[in-house]
Structure formats: structure tokens, C-alpha cells
Amino acid sequence: MGVIKIAICDDEMIFAEKLKAIIEFYCNENQIPCVVDIYCSGKKFLADNAKMMKYRILFLDINSVWLCGGTLGIC
């Protein structure tokens, strides 16, 4: 299995870091290689257009101030 690339979009860094720790713990326990990147807003994620398609899993904050996960999911 290749490395699973995961992105987290959340404007509250404390929640993003906690989620990242949970994901990495789960992946380590189950011997799943992963890379987790954090974006502090949907706008920053969309601005990183070249990298956007490399992610297999995307966690979106549905209550983000600048661009909510529901709107970003439609993009």
C-alpha cells in the first residue's frame, strides 16, 4: 500500500492539530503509511491548486469563517 495523503482544513488550529494526532495514531497502530497536511482555511487549500488533487482523504471544517467545508466540498 502506498502512502495515504490526508488534508485537514480547519481555521481553529487546536482542533486541526488534535485531529492530525488522532489520524496519525490510528495509522501508526494499523501500519498505514500516511502524510497529514493542515490548511488553516478553505481558501488556502484551494490556492494550493497543484497539490489539491494528491489527497485521498479531506477533512473539512463545516463552520469555517472564510470558506465553509460545505461550500468547499461543492468546488
Side-chain angles (χ1 to χ4, degrees):
M1 174 187 299
V3 175
I4 296 176
K5 293 181 172 51
I6 301 168
I8 300 170
C9 292
D10 198 320
D11 59 340
E12 296 186 52
M13 195 54 66
I14 193 163
F15 294 119
E17 291 290 344
K18 178 71 173 172
L19 180 56
K20 180 179 180 178
I22 292 168
I23 293 167
E24 289 176 337
F25 177 80
Y26 177 85
C27 288
N28 286 333
E29 287 291 309
N30 293 283
Q31 300 177 348
I32 302 169
C34 74
V35 172
V36 182
D37 295 326
I38 295 176
Y39 291 88
C40 60
S41 74
K43 285 183 178 183
K44 290 196 184 285
F45 178 73
L46 289 175
D48 202 357
N49 201 5
K51 290 177 147 182
M52 199 165 60
M53 296 305 294
K54 74 176 185 174
Y55 296 106
R56 292 180 60 192
I57 300 172
L58 178 58
F59 289 89
L60 302 172
D61 177 5
I62 61 169
N63 294 319
S64 179
V65 175
W66 299 107
L67 182 61
C68 78
T71 304
L72 182 59
I74 294 170
C75 294

